[in-house]
Amino acid sequence: MTQTSPAAASAEAPAQAAPPARHHRVHRAWFVAAVTFVTIIGAAAFRSLPGLLIDPLHQEFGWSRGTIGAAVSINLALYGLTAPFAAALMDRFGIRRVVAVALVVIAAGSGLTVWMTAAWQLWLCWGLLVGLGSGSMALAFAATVTNRWFAERRGLVSGILTAASASGQLIFLPLLSWLSEHHGWRPAAVTVSLAALAVVPFVWILLRDHPADIGVAPYGAKEFIPKPAPVTGAARRTLKVLSTSVRTGTFWLLAGTFAICGASTNGLIQTHFVPAEHDHGMPVTTAASLLAVVGVFDVAGTIASGWFTDRFEPRRLLAVYYALRGLSLLFLPMLLGPSVHPPMLFFIVFYGLDWVATVPPTLALCREQFGDDSAIVFGWVLASHQIGAALVAYLGGVARDVFGSYDLVWYASGALCAAAALMSLVIRRHPAPATPVLAVP
């Protein structure tokens, strides 16, 4: 989050203190939230494709799974590392411009893969370009829209926007897997590119940076809020908060547990579940449909976890989530097979409920421990989530190349989740003394 000096705010106030009288049956904030929801759904297509490309790229180009996994790793790492700075870019240039450019960059990165002939081109297109573009539409995008446009129901809106990613996975995974299996991986990549471009007009026409742009107050606000002047020091403050938070043990425990969260979801299941099931004889379309079901229950799990977080100790919730996740991964090698059976369905339902259940308690602990800087700290914790995902996306492919199966990967990830459960309980219950962070004008 960024800060604007009182002088800058007051300088803008006279020009915007008297908004025109406008009466809408539905507040414009809900239209902005709807456009954001659709944009995040589209972004889910970019993250669901890599797991479907591993086998086709391996067969066509002869690239090892480790080489392909390296491109996914670059993508995931940049997705996380870009997030802390995305809000600063939005404060400087506006939400609409940043998101529109990000969508075009993603479309270019995905579309250019159709003509690639070398592995470095995959790293450049899918790793660098798509990673930077999708990182600009991470949780920072949803948080910025929620904070600017809503004074009430922020929890509901942020929960819905977080769940949009799971909904997008549900929509795109079966389609992309069918295209990949029946028409090759190139039509699937082009579909992702076209989906990104299709969202751009909606973003440009319907999305607005601030309620003051159209002369209304945020939803639920008691009074009109002037639009602040562009903030140029936000990126420096983001780095300053990082330099302060890394001096606390709590930050490293939160970052460590969330890194394991990313490793066991985006890096492991999202990237390697489909090829692992294919190794056991299951059709790619069927395996992708199972992964899409994870997205269905992800929505319910996110909402339920938020409800639990308001009522129970977040540290204990995280310990339970990670312990159960690790236990389920230890059983997964015995469940893989050529057909769908009840124990596998139980695993899919459970993993869906647990997929992002860790987000609400992690956010609550950041808020408890770091106060006003909690949003920025969470951005860096999210970066650790993606770095963990990137490492396992790469190492999982290497392990499959070396050992001929994913069994060791499942067992190692289960052990990591057990470690995350213990780390969650070690997090201090009360906030550490805050080190003041100077706001950069």
Side-chain angles (χ1 to χ4, degrees), residues 258 261 298 301-306 308-309 317-318 321 325 351-362:
F258 222 41
C261 177
D298 181 13
T302 305
I303 297 172
S305 180
F308 288 139
T309 302
L317 285 177
L318 284 179
Y321 294 158
R325 184 184 297 182
Y351 224 82
L353 293 172
D354 192 62
W355 188 267
V356 291
T358 55
V359 173
T362 301

Coordinates of all heavy atoms in Angstrom, one line a residue, residues 258 261 298 301-306 308-309 317-318 321 325 351-362:
F258 N 4.8 -20.2 3.6 CA 4.1 -19.9 2.3 C 4.9 -20.4 1.1 O 4.3 -20.7 0.1 CB 3.9 -18.4 2.2 CG 2.5 -18.1 1.7 CD1 1.4 -18.8 2.1 CD2 2.3 -17.0 0.8 CE1 0.1 -18.5 1.6 CE2 1.1 -16.7 0.3 CZ 0.0 -17.4 0.7
C261 N 3.8 -23.8 0.8 CA 2.5 -23.8 0.3 C 2.5 -23.7 -1.2 O 1.9 -24.5 -1.9 CB 1.7 -22.6 0.8 SG 0.0 -22.4 0.1
D298 N -11.8 -25.3 -4.4 CA -11.0 -24.2 -3.9 C -11.8 -23.0 -3.5 O -11.5 -22.4 -2.5 CB -10.1 -23.8 -5.1 CG -9.1 -22.7 -4.7 OD1 -9.0 -22.4 -3.5 OD2 -8.5 -22.2 -5.6
G301 N -13.3 -23.8 -0.1 CA -12.3 -23.9 0.9 C -11.8 -22.5 1.3 O -11.6 -22.2 2.5
T302 N -11.7 -21.6 0.3 CA -11.3 -20.2 0.6 C -12.3 -19.5 1.5 O -11.9 -18.8 2.5 CB -11.1 -19.4 -0.7 OG1 -10.2 -20.1 -1.6 CG2 -10.5 -18.0 -0.4
I303 N -13.5 -19.6 1.2 CA -14.6 -18.9 2.0 C -14.6 -19.5 3.4 O -14.7 -18.8 4.4 CB -15.9 -19.0 1.3 CG1 -15.9 -18.3 -0.1 CG2 -17.0 -18.5 2.1 CD1 -17.1 -18.5 -0.9
A304 N -14.6 -20.8 3.5 CA -14.6 -21.5 4.8 C -13.4 -21.1 5.6 O -13.6 -20.8 6.8 CB -14.7 -23.0 4.6
S305 N -12.2 -21.1 5.0 CA -11.0 -20.7 5.8 C -11.1 -19.3 6.3 O -10.7 -19.0 7.4 CB -9.8 -20.9 4.9 OG -8.6 -20.6 5.6
G306 N -11.7 -18.4 5.5 CA -11.9 -17.0 6.0 C -12.8 -17.0 7.2 O -12.5 -16.2 8.2
F308 N -13.3 -19.5 9.4 CA -12.5 -20.1 10.5 C -11.5 -19.1 11.1 O -11.3 -19.0 12.3 CB -11.8 -21.3 10.0 CG -12.7 -22.5 9.8 CD1 -12.5 -23.3 8.7 CD2 -13.8 -22.8 10.6 CE1 -13.3 -24.4 8.5 CE2 -14.6 -23.8 10.4 CZ -14.4 -24.7 9.3
T309 N -10.8 -18.3 10.2 CA -9.8 -17.4 10.6 C -10.4 -16.3 11.6 O -9.7 -15.8 12.5 CB -9.1 -16.7 9.4 OG1 -8.6 -17.8 8.6 CG2 -8.0 -15.8 9.8
L317 N -4.6 -23.0 12.8 CA -5.3 -23.3 11.5 C -4.2 -23.7 10.4 O -4.4 -24.7 9.7 CB -6.1 -22.2 11.0 CG -7.4 -21.9 11.7 CD1 -8.1 -20.6 11.1 CD2 -8.4 -23.1 11.6
L318 N -3.2 -22.9 10.3 CA -2.1 -23.2 9.4 C -1.5 -24.5 9.7 O -1.2 -25.3 8.7 CB -1.0 -22.1 9.4 CG -1.4 -20.8 8.7 CD1 -0.2 -19.8 8.9 CD2 -1.7 -21.0 7.3
Y321 N -3.8 -27.2 8.4 CA -3.9 -27.3 7.0 C -2.7 -28.0 6.4 O -2.8 -28.8 5.5 CB -4.0 -25.8 6.4 CG -5.3 -25.1 6.7 CD1 -5.3 -23.7 6.7 CD2 -6.4 -25.8 7.1 CE1 -6.5 -23.0 7.0 CE2 -7.6 -25.1 7.4 CZ -7.6 -23.7 7.3 OH -8.7 -23.0 7.6
R325 N -2.4 -31.6 4.5 CA -1.9 -31.6 3.1 C -0.7 -32.6 3.0 O -0.7 -33.3 2.0 CB -1.5 -30.2 2.7 CG -1.1 -30.1 1.3 CD -0.6 -28.7 0.9 NE -1.7 -27.7 1.1 CZ -1.5 -26.4 0.8 NH1 -0.3 -26.0 0.3 NH2 -2.5 -25.6 0.9
Y351 N -7.9 -31.8 -1.6 CA -6.8 -30.9 -2.0 C -7.4 -29.5 -2.5 O -6.8 -28.5 -2.3 CB -5.9 -31.5 -3.1 CG -4.5 -31.3 -2.8 CD1 -3.8 -32.1 -1.9 CD2 -3.8 -30.2 -3.4 CE1 -2.4 -31.9 -1.7 CE2 -2.4 -30.0 -3.2 CZ -1.8 -30.8 -2.3 OH -0.4 -30.6 -2.1
G352 N -8.6 -29.6 -3.1 CA -9.2 -28.4 -3.5 C -9.6 -27.5 -2.3 O -9.4 -26.3 -2.3
L353 N -10.2 -28.2 -1.3 CA -10.6 -27.4 -0.1 C -9.4 -26.8 0.6 O -9.5 -25.7 1.2 CB -11.3 -28.3 0.9 CG -12.7 -28.8 0.4 CD1 -13.2 -29.9 1.4 CD2 -13.7 -27.7 0.3
D354 N -8.2 -27.4 0.5 CA -7.0 -27.0 1.2 C -6.1 -26.1 0.3 O -5.2 -25.5 0.8 CB -6.2 -28.2 1.7 CG -5.2 -27.9 2.7 OD1 -5.5 -27.3 3.7 OD2 -4.0 -28.1 2.3
W355 N -6.5 -25.9 -1.0 CA -5.6 -25.3 -1.9 C -5.1 -23.9 -1.5 O -3.9 -23.7 -1.4 CB -6.2 -25.3 -3.3 CG -5.4 -24.8 -4.4 CD1 -5.2 -23.6 -4.9 CD2 -4.5 -25.7 -5.2 NE1 -4.3 -23.6 -6.0 CE2 -3.9 -24.9 -6.2 CE3 -4.3 -27.1 -5.2 CZ2 -3.0 -25.4 -7.2 CZ3 -3.4 -27.6 -6.2 CH2 -2.8 -26.8 -7.1
V356 N -6.0 -23.0 -1.3 CA -5.6 -21.7 -0.8 C -6.2 -21.3 0.5 O -6.4 -20.2 0.9 CB -6.0 -20.6 -1.9 CG1 -5.1 -20.7 -3.1 CG2 -7.4 -20.6 -2.2
A357 N -6.6 -22.4 1.3 CA -7.1 -22.2 2.6 C -6.0 -21.5 3.5 O -6.4 -20.9 4.5 CB -7.5 -23.5 3.2
T358 N -4.8 -21.6 3.1 CA -3.7 -21.0 3.9 C -3.7 -19.5 3.8 O -3.0 -18.8 4.6 CB -2.3 -21.6 3.5 OG1 -2.2 -21.4 2.1 CG2 -2.2 -23.0 3.8
V359 N -4.3 -18.9 2.7 CA -4.2 -17.5 2.5 C -4.8 -16.6 3.6 O -4.2 -15.7 4.2 CB -4.8 -17.1 1.1 CG1 -4.8 -15.6 1.0 CG2 -3.9 -17.7 0.0
P360 N -6.1 -16.9 4.0 CA -6.7 -16.0 5.1 C -5.9 -16.0 6.4 O -5.7 -14.9 6.9 CB -8.1 -16.6 5.2 CG -8.4 -17.2 3.9 CD -7.1 -17.8 3.4
P361 N -5.5 -17.2 6.9 CA -4.7 -17.1 8.2 C -3.3 -16.5 8.0 O -2.8 -15.8 8.9 CB -4.6 -18.6 8.6 CG -4.9 -19.4 7.5 CD -5.8 -18.6 6.6
T362 N -2.7 -16.6 6.8 CA -1.4 -16.0 6.6 C -1.6 -14.5 6.5 O -0.8 -13.7 7.1 CB -0.8 -16.5 5.3 OG1 -0.6 -17.9 5.4 CG2 0.6 -15.8 5.0

